[in-house]
Amino acid sequence: MAQKKEYLSKNQKIVLDIIEKSAQPMKAYSILFNVQKKGLKAPPQVYRALDKLVEIGKIHKIESRNAFIACRNSACTITNATAFSICESCEYVKEISSSKLSKYLSNFQDKEGMKYNKYNLEFFGICKKCK
Amino acid sequence: MAQKKEYLSKNQKIVLDIIEKSAQPMKAYSILFNVQKKGLKAPPQVYRALDKLVEIGKIHKIESRNAFIACRNSACTITNATAFSICESCEYVKEISSSKLSKYLSNFQDKEGMKYNKYNLEFFGICKKCK
DNA sequence: ATTACATTGTTATAATATAACAATAACAGA
DNA sequence: TCTGTTATTGTTATATTATAACAATGTAAT
Ligand SMILES: [Zn+2]
Ligand SMILES: [Zn+2]
Ligand SMILES: [Zn+2]
Ligand SMILES: [Zn+2]
């Protein structure tokens, strides 16, 4: 995990850094605002970095929120099997790392017997704090 | 299913109609273009209808694609447990109706024992045609 | 008729994301 | 070193997706 970071470009490091420092998902334009002091002034600079970081699995996109969160699931070397829980009240997001769940979904076949190489699952509910 | 439609408003019916006629997911602005001849001229008119239709489960949003598809899963009276397969080559989308899968996910508990009242799952792969 | 409430129409704008191209850096082979 | 090649960065403009705000109209109960 740490090694991979060595190969990141300058902008990729800057963007990853800010996301990793955030406990919760960040939106692209909030990232942009936060990295402007570091010289990244325009959306494409941020989006390019985000694309790459998603591709190599250092971060994940929370699709229903258009936001990006650092991967902290050590089992998540793969970028193609992601699961999250999202609190609909406070928007708290947590990556779910359940080998049972990922096994189940990775092996899932539809009615035609088709298997999939990738999935993204988002659970919604009310977190403990909000209850 | 048919009854519910009776209670839809004019704009909701128009928008649902165009989505149901489409075999595949439609984007909001494509819907807008298609309903302009029916008098819906501005985005809010379409987005309001979409919001309502999603809420009552007549359509679903494909989050990773920002697109909307009619629900054709008769078991999907619930709007809170959705699963789709998406072809990454041709973008073909199909709603998955597997009672086994939905049972598994509805009963899923995370490490803290928390259960969720809602989920959305998107599988990605290459469909038969594209292979 | 009056109130209340839902729906619609309308304009403007916010938020998210990409196209296109120029400039610079990194680097391998001649 | 020079040179071609590729990746990365910088920059401007624009496309795409979505909502705020408020006025107008419709619907139905009292
Ligand atoms: Zn992860
Ligand atoms: Zn919460
Ligand atoms: Zn459905
Ligand atoms: Zn396909």
Side-chain angles (χ1 to χ4, degrees):
Chain A
M1 210 161 173
Q3 308 93 300
K4 250 185 189 170
K5 199 163 177 179
E6 306 303 315
Y7 302 116
L8 295 179
S9 75
K10 189 193 91 194
N11 288 0
Q12 289 157 11
K13 275 178 205 157
I14 291 171
V15 169
L16 177 56
D17 197 51
I18 187 94
I19 298 176
E20 284 185 337
K21 275 180 185 147
S22 168
Q24 285 299 290
M26 292 189 76
K27 302 220 147 203
Y29 275 71
S30 155
I31 294 167
L32 175 58
F33 177 82
N34 276 275
V35 298
Q36 273 174 341
K37 60 196 78 151
K38 302 245 180 185
L40 282 82
K41 290 180 210 148
Q45 296 174 291
V46 168
Y47 278 103
R48 281 178 196 137
L50 289 173
D51 287 349
K52 187 69 178 183
L53 293 169
V54 166
E55 187 191 322
I56 64 177
K58 304 292 290 183
I59 65 174
H60 303 299
K61 183 173 186 182
I62 311 297
E63 293 287 356
S64 67
R65 299 299 187 259
N66 296 320
F68 301 85
I69 193 170
C71 175
R72 294 191 171 89
N73 176 357
S74 56
C76 189
T77 48
I78 35 176
T79 179
N80 54 357
T82 47
F84 304 93
S85 74
I86 303 170
C87 174
E88 288 186 300
S89 169
C90 71
E91 294 295 318
Y92 175 82
V93 173
K94 195 170 188 318
E95 185 166 2
I96 292 174
S97 55
S98 158
S99 58
K100 224 181 138 189
L101 176 65
S102 66
K103 239 172 235 167
Y104 183 88
L105 292 176
S106 299
N107 291 326
F108 178 80
Q109 293 190 6
D110 67 19
K111 283 173 179 167
E112 288 91 30
M114 177 162 171
K115 290 184 93 175
Y116 300 89
N117 54 43
K118 196 169 151 187
Y119 67 79
N120 179 58
L121 171 58
E122 297 180 5
F123 281 109
F124 304 91
I126 304 294
C127 79
K128 276 179 189 170
K129 276 192 186 172
C130 290
K131 260 186 184 143
Chain B
M1 210 162 173
Q3 307 93 297
K4 250 188 190 170
K5 199 165 177 178
E6 306 303 315
Y7 303 115
L8 295 179
S9 75
K10 190 194 92 192
N11 288 0
Q12 289 158 10
K13 276 179 204 157
I14 290 170
V15 169
L16 177 56
D17 197 52
I18 188 92
I19 297 176
E20 284 186 336
K21 277 182 182 144
S22 168
Q24 286 299 290
M26 292 187 76
K27 303 220 148 201
Y29 274 71
S30 158
I31 293 167
L32 175 58
F33 177 81
N34 277 275
V35 297
Q36 274 176 340
K37 60 195 78 151
K38 303 245 180 184
L40 282 81
K41 291 180 207 145
Q45 296 174 291
V46 169
Y47 278 102
R48 282 178 196 138
L50 289 173
D51 287 350
K52 186 69 179 182
L53 292 169
V54 166
E55 187 190 323
I56 65 178
K58 304 292 291 183
I59 65 173
H60 301 300
K61 182 172 186 184
I62 310 298
E63 293 287 358
S64 67
R65 299 299 187 259
N66 296 319
F68 301 85
I69 194 169
C71 175
R72 294 191 171 87
N73 176 359
S74 56
C76 188
T77 47
I78 33 175
T79 179
N80 54 358
T82 47
F84 304 94
S85 72
I86 303 171
C87 174
E88 288 187 299
S89 170
C90 70
E91 293 295 318
Y92 175 83
V93 173
K94 196 170 187 320
E95 186 169 0
I96 292 174
S97 55
S98 159
S99 58
K100 225 181 137 189
L101 176 65
S102 66
K103 237 171 240 166
Y104 183 87
L105 292 176
S106 298
N107 291 325
F108 177 81
Q109 292 191 6
D110 67 18
K111 283 172 177 168
E112 287 92 32
M114 175 159 173
K115 289 184 94 177
Y116 300 90
N117 55 40
K118 194 169 151 188
Y119 66 80
N120 179 59
L121 171 59
E122 297 181 5
F123 281 109
F124 303 92
I126 305 294
C127 77
K128 276 179 187 170
K129 276 191 182 172
C130 289
K131 257 179 187 150

